[in-house]
Amino acid sequence: MNVYDADKVRTVLTFRGWQEVPEEEADLIIVTGCSVRAKAEQKVWSELGRYENSWQKFKRPAVALTGCVAQRLGQKALTRFQWVRLVAGPRHIGLLPNSLEKIMTDEKIRINLLDTDPREFFNLDFDEGNNAILRENKYKAYVTIAHGCFLHVLYCSVC
């Protein structure tokens, strides 16, 4: 799901005129992750901490934390790291493009899009029928089988 969601966000942002660049040139980093395992969460904390030096020197990159890991760690990440400017649970993927544009145009804005109502879902406005998803790997495709993780999974293929 995280790869699929990241590919959809990449596609929509590209259609809106955003450009993917090497990490060291980025003004924004989007971290999408899973929280099924404690080690995955530890990796996210470590990844978020890597941007401290760059943020202190250049006030960039801004970081958006998305996916199940954002749902679980979101408010803590906003509090702990100044450069985490947006957190979004998996059910708020549709609000990401506009929210990302907001945090990039106003350096004081920090956005919390954590899922509070399990019935609420903001789908990403994307017409897959007319547009090909820009995938990291053009030979592999993923699908969404659930929106979010409540750690009550019957089967999960996290490696």
Side-chain angles (χ1 to χ4, degrees):
M1 181 178 122
N2 293 319
V3 173
Y4 180 53
D5 284 352
D7 286 344
K8 289 191 302 184
V9 170
R10 173 188 293 114
T11 301
V12 169
L13 292 178
T14 300
F15 289 155
R16 286 182 171 215
W18 290 54
Q19 185 177 13
E20 201 166 349
V21 297
E23 183 177 327
E24 59 275 1
E25 297 173 24
D27 293 322
L28 172 70
I29 302 287
I30 302 172
V31 176
T32 303
C34 176
S35 64
V36 169
R37 292 186 175 169
K39 184 167 182 162
E41 286 186 12
Q42 292 167 357
K43 286 181 180 181
V44 169
W45 284 123
S46 177
E47 180 72 14
L48 295 176
R50 284 188 333 106
Y51 302 108
E52 181 173 15
N53 289 337
S54 179
W55 183 262
Q56 298 301 336
K57 289 180 186 174
F58 309 111
K59 293 295 184 214
R60 69 177 193 73
V63 176
L65 181 60
T66 68
C68 295
V69 75
Q71 183 62 37
R72 187 158 156 85
L73 307 178
Q75 190 57 48
K76 290 179 192 173
L78 279 174
T79 303
R80 186 171 173 184
F81 301 113
Q82 294 176 315
W83 47 94
V84 175
R85 304 273 310 288
L86 179 145
V87 292
R91 293 177 163 275
H92 281 79
I93 189 171
L95 302 179
L96 275 178
N98 289 338
S99 297
L100 292 171
E101 288 176 357
K102 284 180 186 175
I103 67 167
M104 295 311 293
T105 57
D106 185 342
E107 63 186 40
K108 295 178 183 173
I109 290 180
R110 299 180 87 198
I111 298 176
N112 179 336
L113 299 173
L114 297 179
D115 305 344
T116 56
D117 183 345
R119 298 164 297 177
E120 191 173 57
F121 178 66
F122 299 94
N123 201 1
L124 192 56
D125 187 19
F126 179 73
D127 181 8
E128 293 184 51
N130 295 324
N131 300 303
I133 292 178
L134 303 175
R135 293 185 175 92
E136 199 170 296
N137 181 335
K138 65 181 181 176
Y139 300 108
K140 193 184 294 185
Y142 294 91
V143 297
T144 300
I145 59 169
H147 293 284
C149 178
F150 300 102
L151 303 176
H152 296 90
V153 180
L154 177 62
Y155 174 78
C156 184
S157 61
V158 176
C159 299

